[in-house]
Amino acid sequence: ISLNDIFDEDYVENLFKKYKGKLNNSWNFVSKYEKLNKKDLMKILNMFEKKKIIQLIKAYLGSNIICYDNSVLFLGKNRSKKNSWQPHHDSKENRIKVYIWLGKNNKDNQPLYYQVGSHKKIKFWTNYKETRLKKYTKTKSLKKIIGDQGDISIFDTHGLHSGYKLSKIPRASIVLTFESVGILKRINVNTTTGKKEMNRLGAFMV
C-alpha cells in the first residue's frame, strides 16, 4: 500500500538534513542505517495514530503489536547483489514495514521492489540463506515502488521484496517495523524467551 502526502515535505526534509549530517558528506557505501532518536520516533508514531496508520496495521496484524528497528535508511552510490540486495522474504512470518520517503525520488532512484500477492504464499526455510533468492529469474514480476517526499509505503515482509541494488543515486527513507505478538506468534511477551527477544530488538508495544 502506498499513501501520498502523509507527512509535510518541510518536516521530512528537515529530518533528512538532520540525520544526513552523520554521514560526513560521503555516499560511498551500499546502505547505512541511523537510529531514530526517541523524540522523532514518538512524533512519527503520533502522526501515524492521527492518520489512522496504526489502526490500519492492527487491522492486518492484530491488536497486539510491537514496534522496533526504527531507523533512517540511506542508500549510497555503491551497487550490490548480495544478502538483502537479492530478492528475498524475511524469516519472521508476517510483519509490516513502513517506509517514509524523505527525498524527491524519480525513476532513476533505487526503487523498493515487491511481488504483489507473494505474502499470501506458504514458504518453507531452515536457515537465512534459503530466504535469499540469489538466482531468482522472474525480476520483471516485481513491482517497482518509488514514493515521493512525504509519502509512505506499507508492505508485508513475508512477501518477496527488495532486489539488486543497481542505482548509484543516493536515496533516504525512514523504516519502521511492526510485528504481532502473542501465544502462537514468534514472540510471546509473557515468556522469558519473548522478553529476551523484545530486549534484543529494543521493541515496545504500540
Side-chain angles (χ1 to χ4, degrees):
I1 299 173
S2 291
L3 301 173
N4 300 330
D5 302 321
I6 297 299
F7 289 92
D8 179 79
E9 288 186 7
D10 289 338
Y11 171 67
V12 294
E13 180 68 23
N14 287 333
L15 281 176
F16 169 68
K17 291 178 179 178
K18 176 179 180 178
Y19 288 92
K20 186 189 74 161
K22 300 181 180 182
L23 300 179
N24 296 319
N25 294 318
S26 173
W27 292 89
N28 295 316
F29 55 84
V30 176
S31 62
K32 283 187 177 181
Y33 287 89
E34 291 291 343
K35 195 74 174 177
L36 279 174
N37 68 41
K38 187 174 181 180
K39 182 179 179 181
D40 290 333
L41 175 58
M42 290 302 107
K43 188 169 183 177
I44 289 169
L45 290 177
N46 286 338
M47 179 61 75
F48 277 13
E49 287 281 3
K50 182 179 178 180
K51 297 284 186 176
K52 297 186 177 180
I53 306 300
I54 297 297
Q55 181 178 332
L56 179 67
I57 294 170
K58 287 186 175 182
Y60 182 78
L61 289 178
S63 58
N64 296 318
I65 63 172
I66 57 173
C67 182
Y68 59 95
D69 278 354
N70 307 304
S71 305
V72 182
L73 168 61
F74 293 101
L75 302 189
K77 297 178 181 179
N78 297 351
R79 295 172 174 172
S80 180
K81 291 186 176 182
K82 297 179 179 180
N83 299 323
S84 291
W85 293 111
Q86 297 169 352
H88 68 275
H89 63 86
D90 291 359
S91 54
K92 301 290 190 298
E93 303 171 356
N94 295 95
R95 66 175 183 173
I96 290 290
K97 280 197 176 181
V98 181
Y99 274 48
I100 304 170
W101 302 99
L102 297 184
K104 296 181 181 295
N105 300 317
N106 58 52
K107 63 181 180 63
D108 296 319
N109 283 96
Q110 179 71 26
L112 167 63
Y113 290 99
Y114 197 85
Q115 188 176 76
V116 177
S118 60
H119 63 292
K120 299 177 182 179
K121 295 181 180 179
I122 297 174
K123 302 175 181 68
F124 299 96
W125 66 91
T126 58
N127 56 56
Y128 173 84
K129 284 187 177 181
E130 291 181 4
T131 68
R132 315 289 113 168
L133 306 183
K134 184 177 181 180
K135 298 181 179 180
Y136 188 74
T137 59
K138 299 178 181 179
T139 53
K140 290 184 179 180
S141 69
L142 300 176
K143 180 181 178 181
K144 291 183 179 181
I145 302 170
I146 303 175
D148 204 358
Q149 192 173 44
D151 296 350
I152 70 171
S153 297
I154 305 171
F155 66 98
D156 184 338
T157 67
H158 188 63
L160 193 66
H161 61 282
S162 191
Y164 306 131
K165 185 184 180 302
L166 303 177
S167 175
K168 299 179 73 174
I169 299 174
R171 192 195 82 188
S173 56
I174 290 174
V175 183
L176 284 76
T177 302
F178 298 88
E179 184 174 350
S180 59
V181 294
I183 295 175
L184 300 178
K185 301 295 183 179
R186 183 178 77 90
I187 299 174
N188 181 352
V189 298
N190 295 315
T191 66
T192 300
T193 301
K195 290 175 182 177
K196 285 182 178 180
E197 181 67 357
M198 289 281 288
N199 185 61
R200 184 185 73 84
L201 294 170
F204 55 92
M205 299 296 297
V206 177

